Amino acid sequence: MSQKAQIGVTGLAVMGRNLARNFARHGHTVALHNRSYGRTKELVEEFGHEGTFLPAETAEQFVASLERPRRVVIMVKAGPATDAVIDEFAPLLEEGDMLIDAGNAHYADTRRREAALKAKGLHFVGAGVSGGEEGALHGPSIMPGGPKESYEALGPLLEDIAAKVDGEPCCVHVGPDGAGHFVKMVHNGIEYADMQLIAEAYDLLRRVGGHSPAEIAEIFKGWNEGRLGSYLIEITAEVLKQVDAATGKAFVDVVADAAEQKGTGRWTVQAALDLGVPVSGIAESVFARALSGGKDERAAAAEAGLPGPSAGAEHSGDLVADVEQALFASKIVAYAQGFQQIQAASKEYGWDIDPGAMAKIWRAGCIIRAKFLDFIKQAYDKKPDLATLLVDQYFLDAVSGAQDAWRRVVVTAAQQGIPAPGFASALAYYDGLRAERLPAALIQGQRDFFGAHTYQRVDKPGSFHTLWAAEGRPEVDA
C-alpha cells in the first residue's frame, strides 16, 4: 500500500466514528478498523467525501496502512474490551509505536497498561476526551497522559482537532501514565456535582417559588448571560422550555425521575477516599443519583407516609437572586474540591500536573466549560500551589458575597422539606474550612478511649495516650 495514514481509529461506534471524521476534516489521512467491517464500510460510504480514509478489513491491514510511528486510537468500551484490543494490536506494532485509549478508562487500568506496554517498547497514551459525540466531531477538550515523548508525535494531531479558545487548543499533555484519565475522571465528577446543583436550583425555584418550567427556563437563560454562563446552564434552559409533543406537558414532567450513571462519578469518589480528599459535593451528587434510582425504598417511604415539616416557613429574601448566589457559591466549592483532588493525585503519583492548564483546556469543548474557568486559570497562574480555590481573592469575594443568600436557601430547603444535599454539603464544607476548631478533637478522644489510637496535643509535640481505665487517668507518651 503506497498511501499511509497519519493516524488510525479502531472502534467505530459514534465517538470513534466522529473522532475519525474530525481528523479527516482537518486534512489527516485516517486508517479505519472495526470488529465488524460493515461499520467501516458505512462510514466511508456516508462520510468519505469529508477527507481521506483508508478502510481495513483486518488488524494486519490496518497496522500496515499507518506511517511510523504508528498512532492507533482505541475507541471501545472500557474494561476487558480495551484489553482485548490491546492484546490484538500490540504484537503487530514496533518499538516507538503508540496505542491511544480515548475512552473513559479507569486511571489505574491505564497505569497498568502503560507499564506493561512500556516493557515491550510501545507507548500507551490514556487520553480523556470530553464533549460527547458533538465534541468528538467538532472539537473536544482532550486530556492526554502517557510518556512525554509520545506527545511530540501525537500532540500536533490532537491539538489540531481539539476545541479552540482564542486560537489556543483545548489540549495539553497532562502528565505520565494515568494522569490524563485521572483528570478526565475528576472532570466528570465535577460534572456530576454541577448537574446536581442545577437540579436543586430548579427544584427550589419550582417548589418554593412556584415558577413553571418555562419560566425557570427564562431564569436560566438570563443566568447564562452572567457569571454562571456555561454549557450546562445553557442546555438546562433548553431542556426546561421543551414541551412533550405527545402530551403537551413540560418535557421535564414526563421524564422518569431516576438519574442514571456510567461510573465515573463513583470512581471519582472512590479515588478521593483513597487519597483522603473531601470531595463531599461530588459524593452527594453520586448518592443523590443512587437515591433517585431507589424505586423500592422510595415506594416504601411513600406507602408509609414518611412525614415532612408541619409548616414550612416562607423564604425570607428574593428567591431567584438567592438561588443564583447559592448555585454560584456551591459550584465554586465543587470545582475547588475537584482541583484539590487533582493536586493530591499529582503529588501521590508524581505526575506534576499543572492545574491552571487543566482549567485552560476545559474552557471549550467539554461538558463543564464555563466562563469562570478563566478565573480558575488566573488563580493557579498566580499561585500554582494554591491550597484551595476558596482562598484566591476572586473566589473568596464571590463566596463571601454569596454566603448570606446561600444560608437562606439551605434553611428554606430544610424548613420546607426539599432535599438540597448539594447546596447543604457545599455550605458545610465551606464552614468546615473556615472553622477555628472542629469537633474532630472529640473523635480523637473517642478513638483513643476504645482503641488506644493515640492523639496529638495543641501545646506540645508528640503522640499521647490516656490510660482511661487507670485511677486518675494519667497520660503517657505513645
Side-chain angles (χ1 to χ4, degrees):
M1 183 182 292
S2 58
Q3 189 175 20
K4 295 285 187 178
Q6 285 81 55
I7 196 160
V9 179
T10 180
L12 300 176
V14 175
M15 285 292 289
R17 179 185 66 190
N18 282 2
L19 274 179
R21 291 172 60 196
N22 195 348
F23 281 118
R25 287 177 169 190
H26 282 83
H28 303 292
T29 301
V30 185
L32 302 174
H33 174 266
N34 194 71
R35 185 175 58 181
S36 60
Y37 185 61
R39 182 167 282 175
T40 307
K41 285 179 61 179
E42 287 174 8
L43 192 159
V44 176
E45 289 170 0
E46 190 171 356
F47 303 108
H49 63 280
E50 295 183 340
T52 304
F53 297 105
L54 302 182
E57 290 193 52
T58 68
E60 290 79 6
Q61 290 174 347
F62 176 71
V63 169
S65 70
L66 292 165
E67 67 179 26
R68 298 287 314 278
R70 300 182 181 95
R71 309 169 186 89
V72 177
V73 177
I74 301 170
M75 287 300 297
V76 300
K77 190 174 181 180
T82 300
D83 283 320
V85 171
I86 292 170
D87 291 342
E88 180 181 12
F89 281 95
L92 305 176
L93 301 176
E94 300 175 77
E95 185 173 348
D97 290 347
M98 63 189 76
L99 287 162
I100 304 107
D101 179 7
N104 271 334
H106 193 287
Y107 75 97
D109 287 337
T110 302
R111 300 190 76 208
R112 168 179 58 80
R113 292 163 181 154
E114 196 270 344
L117 291 169
K118 184 177 182 180
K120 299 178 180 180
L122 301 176
H123 295 307
F124 185 73
V125 175
V129 178
S130 179
E133 57 185 88
E134 286 299 307
L137 181 60
H138 300 294
S141 173
I142 310 177
M143 296 148 260
K148 182 70 174 177
E149 55 268 34
S150 69
Y151 195 75
E152 295 173 6
L154 176 65
L157 279 79
L158 297 182
E159 292 177 10
D160 209 13
I161 68 164
K164 308 291 191 301
V165 176
D166 299 327
E168 293 184 292
C170 292
C171 175
V172 70
H173 181 248
V174 176
D177 55 71
H181 275 147
F182 188 93
V183 165
K184 173 56 165 57
M185 176 191 74
V186 175
H187 164 285
N188 285 24
I190 294 172
E191 177 186 310
Y192 272 57
D194 212 341
M195 293 171 72
Q196 175 64 26
L197 293 168
I198 289 171
E200 291 177 17
Y202 151 77
D203 203 24
L204 286 160
L205 290 173
R206 189 165 189 187
R207 295 172 64 184
V208 178
H211 297 285
S212 68
E215 290 169 341
I216 301 171
E218 288 302 310
I219 292 170
F220 273 89
K221 185 178 178 181
W223 285 352
N224 193 51
E225 295 170 1
R227 61 181 183 173
L228 277 171
S230 66
Y231 173 71
L232 284 172
I233 294 289
E234 177 186 351
I235 67 168
T236 297
E238 291 297 317
V239 171
L240 287 173
K241 76 178 186 181
Q242 183 72 21
V243 175
D244 177 57
T247 63
K249 295 179 180 179
F251 169 79
V252 73
D253 287 339
V254 300
V255 177
D257 62 336
E260 298 179 359
Q261 50 187 313
K262 290 187 175 180
T264 47
R266 289 197 302 270
W267 290 353
T268 306
V269 177
Q270 289 163 352
L273 290 170
D274 292 337
L275 291 165
V277 179
V279 294
S280 51
I282 296 171
E284 287 292 355
S285 67
V286 174
F287 294 142
R289 290 197 188 190
L291 177 62
S292 75
K295 295 181 180 178
D296 293 343
E297 297 86 352
R298 293 175 64 192
E303 185 178 352
L306 286 185
S310 55
E314 294 293 320
H315 187 74
S316 61
D318 180 336
L319 182 68
V320 173
D322 282 358
V323 169
E324 190 273 346
Q325 293 272 24
L327 179 55
F328 192 61
S330 300
K331 183 185 178 86
I332 290 170
V333 168
Y335 280 73
Q337 292 178 350
F339 274 90
Q340 184 186 358
Q341 183 173 2
I342 289 171
Q343 288 173 290
S346 180
K347 183 177 180 180
E348 175 73 17
Y349 300 117
W351 286 336
D352 195 27
I353 297 174
D354 177 356
M358 299 307 98
K360 179 180 176 181
I361 64 173
W362 288 350
R363 293 180 301 165
C366 70
I367 304 302
I368 65 171
R369 58 186 184 264
K371 290 179 181 177
F372 86 146
L373 281 161
D374 282 318
F375 293 102
I376 295 179
K377 179 183 180 298
Q378 291 169 20
Y380 284 112
D381 283 349
K382 287 184 291 185
K383 192 172 183 181
D385 60 347
L386 192 66
T388 171
L389 276 175
L390 292 167
V391 299
D392 174 77
Q393 196 60 53
Y394 172 81
F395 297 106
L396 178 62
D397 291 344
V399 293
S400 296
Q403 71 162 308
D404 287 344
W406 194 5
R407 295 181 192 283
R408 284 195 295 270
V409 167
V410 171
V411 167
T412 295
Q415 289 180 330
Q416 299 208 17
I418 298 172
F423 287 156
S425 68
L427 182 58
Y429 177 84
Y430 170 78
D431 283 336
L433 276 185
R434 65 178 196 83
E436 184 177 347
R437 288 274 292 172
L438 289 169
L442 176 58
I443 294 171
Q444 279 303 97
Q446 294 168 333
R447 294 180 73 244
D448 188 61
F449 189 105
F450 65 68
H453 292 297
T454 75
Y455 54 88
Q456 294 177 328
R457 296 179 59 92
V458 298
D459 54 357
K460 54 185 175 182
S463 294
F464 300 90
H465 169 56
T466 292
L467 301 176
W468 296 97
E471 187 176 350
R473 291 179 180 159
E475 183 177 72
V476 296
D477 292 333

